[in-house]
Amino acid sequence: MHTNPIWTFGESYSFDHPEYYTTCARTRTYEDHTSLKSYSLEHTKPLFNKYKLLTLQNIYTLRTSVEVLKILKYQSPSSIYENLKQCPRGKNLKLIVPQYKLDISKNNFFVHSVNLWNSCIEKILDPPDLSNSGKCNKLMLIIPGLTRNSDLTISVGIFRNRLEHILLETQNLGIRTDWSKENFSSM
């Protein structure tokens, strides 16, 4: 059984001339060789959405955010962990964006990863349970780790699955067949 990969032909063939596979110049007339042909096959956005594939930009967002979670959760490697500083307010798990003096310095891992982390963390973690019948005490204090999946106690797998789901929803936005900037925005 021979199947064509989806990135080569897609699901439907759109050939504008019957001699599509006749590529040798000796088998075609000069008029056929110089005639205008449409080489467009199929839009990629419906294929990415149908097969739930992430674009390269969204894979970068996913992998970077998961790595930041691992660094913060396991505090390893310590040299990178020491450079990722939490916001002093402390309750929202956002990180402080490192300062840089040159524009080229903003293209390093720390600046990109902190920006991606800050844009996605609130959408992934569960809000803490503030009901009286919940796990909080009578003073309505938010105790880190008491509500499942509300802080760094979240498992890496749950974090990854939630972020991947959010990124796939972001890819689905806009026109069904055409990519737009909102499909690649980091949250």
Side-chain angles (χ1 to χ4, degrees):
M1 181 170 110
H2 182 269
T3 59
N4 291 327
I6 61 171
W7 53 84
T8 304
F9 294 111
E11 293 182 7
S12 62
Y13 300 100
S14 61
F15 306 124
D16 64 342
H17 57 288
E19 304 84 20
Y20 186 81
Y21 287 109
T22 314
T23 57
C24 181
R26 288 176 280 172
T27 62
R28 290 182 279 157
T29 64
Y30 181 74
E31 291 79 27
D32 287 340
H33 181 69
T34 57
S35 65
L36 296 175
K37 297 169 183 65
S38 171
Y39 293 104
S40 65
L41 295 175
E42 188 175 68
H43 294 283
T44 57
K45 186 174 180 182
L47 293 173
F48 275 72
N49 292 334
K50 178 179 179 182
Y51 295 108
K52 297 184 178 178
L53 301 172
L54 289 172
T55 61
L56 281 177
Q57 294 92 331
N58 289 332
I59 290 173
Y60 175 78
T61 300
L62 177 70
R63 298 295 300 210
T64 303
S65 299
V66 168
E67 289 305 315
V68 171
L69 173 73
K70 289 179 188 177
I71 291 168
L72 292 173
K73 185 172 184 159
Y74 303 120
Q75 299 179 2
S76 175
S78 60
S79 58
I80 296 176
Y81 174 73
E82 290 169 1
N83 288 320
L84 298 175
K85 297 180 177 31
Q86 283 193 326
C87 190
R89 294 177 215 152
K91 60 184 173 186
N92 57 6
L93 293 177
K94 289 202 172 190
L95 300 173
I96 297 173
V97 180
Q99 294 180 356
Y100 53 88
K101 294 180 181 176
L102 300 174
D103 280 340
I104 197 158
S105 300
K106 69 180 177 183
N107 292 327
N108 65 32
F109 173 77
F110 293 110
V111 176
H112 278 278
S113 62
V114 167
N115 287 330
L116 289 172
W117 177 265
N118 289 342
S119 67
C120 73
I121 192 63
E122 291 177 345
K123 297 176 184 176
I124 297 171
L125 297 181
D126 292 335
D129 184 14
L130 297 177
S131 67
N132 284 331
S133 61
K135 296 178 182 177
C136 294
N137 59 15
K138 301 284 185 197
L139 298 174
M140 301 299 285
L141 294 175
I142 299 173
I143 302 170
L146 210 51
T147 303
R148 190 173 183 167
N149 298 328
S150 65
D151 60 358
L152 292 178
T153 59
I154 189 171
S155 73
V156 175
I158 291 173
F159 182 88
R160 185 184 188 287
N161 288 342
R162 287 183 181 181
L163 182 55
E164 187 172 1
H165 180 72
I166 291 169
L167 291 171
L168 286 171
E169 285 178 355
T170 305
Q171 274 185 195
N172 257 340
L173 297 175
I175 302 172
R176 185 175 122 26
T177 57
D178 294 329
W179 295 105
S180 63
K181 286 186 179 181
E182 64 184 0
N183 299 128
F184 307 113
S185 65
S186 58
M187 312 307 249

